[in-house]
Amino acid sequence: MIGVEFTGRLGNQMFAYAFARMLIEQYGSESDPLVANFKRCGSSAYSSWGDSLQYFNVKPYTTDNADLILKYGSFRQRLSYLVYMLWTRLPLLGKSAYTLNIEQALRRIGLHFTGAADAAYPLVGRCSREFVRGYFQDRRFFSPIRSQLLHEFTPKQPPLRHNEGLYEQALRSDSVCVSVRRGDYLSEQYRKDFHVCTPDYYRAAFKAVTQRIAHPVFIFFSDDIAWVRENMTVEGFPCYYERGDDPVWETLRLMYSCHHFIISNSTFAWWAQYLGNREGKLVVCPSSWFANPDWHSNLVNDDFIFINT
């Protein structure tokens, strides 16, 4: 059994699923049941979001919003989990180096807890019950099964007819997916941890692309597409804009159908470029993923083109 607690929106859900899928691929079997808890996907700022994986061709799963470790874990797993949760709530101890040693020990009994900043995560021996809770935002966690993920992260539904023109531009030209993340990143709650990519970033990114590609076609995607239509264009090159009201699975497919990518510091945009599978793609990326100096990202590749935010 693999139990996964999902947090946040589709991009974060895909990271947790990809790690769980890696556990099944390396240590389990296709017959292992997958149990998913999406309770935290609809919390706080994400109140309008829930289970987004249901729209994709992922491994079948059952849902259960109980605490999966307490409900399905062995006695040893439940006891270790309770001690760990108590430890992380103690003042000055929750983020200590010793806590990281505890997390490494928990992996050996099938409890996988990790944050976005975790770098090395060697997989260990298989337990009969594995539990996944965290972000796992590192491509190395699942790079051996990329071809499998390319299939499983395709939407179940066919492309929507009103997007036929955009798909044609994306698939038949040197299309460039431009991701503009605004929304919650503009709030005081998130600004201390996340950059909002500036107009200067995008201008430099457009220049980097047009210097390398003779006839690019830019397709803009955003959680604030009205603002993008008013404020962003690339002089002298064709520009198209998403509608802004498509379901998340359709937007992701439109994005990864493009040839090249200018991404914001968004996990959703990162997955679009990762799923983009056309030869010779360019990926332009912010040089700094987080505003918080204590956070480090393992999402970027050496062959990305880095632009200051």
Side-chain angles (χ1 to χ4, degrees):
M1 170 196 168
I2 306 288
V4 188
E5 180 183 283
F6 292 99
T7 302
R9 295 187 277 189
L10 178 58
N12 286 336
Q13 292 176 32
M14 293 170 78
F15 279 112
Y17 173 86
F19 180 79
R21 203 68 179 91
M22 186 69 177
L23 289 178
I24 294 173
E25 187 69 18
Q26 288 206 349
Y27 299 121
S29 70
E30 288 299 317
S31 62
D32 281 345
L34 183 62
V35 181
N37 180 327
F38 290 94
K39 185 176 181 180
R40 296 183 64 190
C41 295
S43 62
S44 65
Y46 303 128
S47 58
S48 62
W49 291 75
D51 175 6
S52 295
L53 291 178
Q54 63 182 302
Y55 305 113
F56 295 85
N57 288 297
V58 297
K59 176 180 169 62
Y61 55 86
T62 59
T63 58
D64 188 334
N65 281 341
D67 188 305
L68 300 181
I69 301 173
L70 293 181
K71 183 172 182 178
Y72 299 101
S74 66
F75 175 78
R76 184 184 183 189
Q77 287 174 324
R78 296 197 304 270
L79 179 61
S80 300
Y81 167 63
L82 290 172
V83 172
Y84 169 78
M85 295 302 292
L86 176 61
W87 176 269
T88 57
R89 282 165 171 74
L90 294 175
L92 302 180
L93 296 180
K95 296 183 181 297
S96 68
Y98 188 62
T99 303
L100 297 179
N101 293 333
I102 294 176
E103 291 178 352
Q104 292 173 3
L106 291 176
R107 296 170 191 172
R108 299 186 180 92
I109 62 170
L111 302 182
H112 304 273
F113 304 130
T114 184
D118 259 1
Y121 194 100
L123 297 177
V124 294
R126 178 78 164 92
C127 299
S128 60
R129 301 172 186 178
E130 303 270 354
F131 297 92
V132 175
R133 173 183 289 184
Y135 294 101
F136 300 92
Q137 293 179 6
D138 190 323
R139 65 192 183 281
R140 293 173 294 180
F141 291 153
F142 45 79
S143 58
I145 60 168
R146 182 170 185 268
S147 61
Q148 186 173 329
L149 294 175
L150 292 180
H151 167 71
E152 295 188 4
F153 286 151
T154 58
K156 295 177 181 178
Q157 298 296 321
L160 299 180
R161 293 187 62 183
H162 64 250
N163 285 322
E164 287 178 356
L166 270 186
Y167 277 113
E168 183 173 358
Q169 291 296 333
L171 294 169
R172 298 187 181 181
S173 69
D174 252 338
S175 54
V176 183
C177 166
V178 183
S179 166
V180 183
R181 173 72 179 269
R182 287 170 56 80
D184 50 2
Y185 276 15
L186 298 173
S187 69
E188 290 298 326
Q189 179 182 357
Y190 292 95
R191 191 174 298 174
K192 68 180 186 300
D193 294 327
F194 298 96
H195 296 292
V196 176
C197 292
T198 64
D200 285 342
Y201 164 75
Y202 286 102
R203 281 190 287 268
F206 299 150
K207 183 177 180 181
V209 168
T210 56
Q211 287 176 339
R212 292 167 171 82
I213 302 172
H215 304 289
V217 173
F218 294 88
I219 305 178
F220 290 83
F221 300 86
S222 178
D223 55 0
D224 190 354
I225 199 64
W227 183 91
V228 172
R229 285 179 177 273
E230 289 290 326
N231 294 278
M232 301 192 74
T233 189
V234 187
E235 192 69 30
F237 297 93
C239 293
Y240 298 87
Y241 302 83
E242 65 157 335
R243 288 165 52 114
D245 59 357
D246 282 323
V248 65
W249 49 265
E250 174 76 348
T251 300
L252 181 63
R253 178 168 50 204
L254 275 168
M255 293 172 73
Y256 73 63
S257 296
C258 292
H259 193 166
H260 310 287
F261 300 86
I262 296 174
I263 66 173
S264 57
N265 50 333
S266 155
T267 57
F268 187 68
W270 186 91
W271 276 108
Q273 68 77 30
Y274 186 83
L275 298 174
N277 202 29
R278 294 167 67 177
E279 186 176 350
K281 72 177 179 183
L282 298 178
V283 180
V284 181
C285 173
S287 59
S288 176
W289 198 266
F290 298 115
N292 189 326
D294 295 328
W295 292 6
H296 173 72
S297 174
N298 296 306
L299 294 179
V300 297
N301 293 3
D302 292 338
D303 59 353
F304 285 3
I305 302 168
F306 298 101
I307 304 291
N308 291 332
T309 54

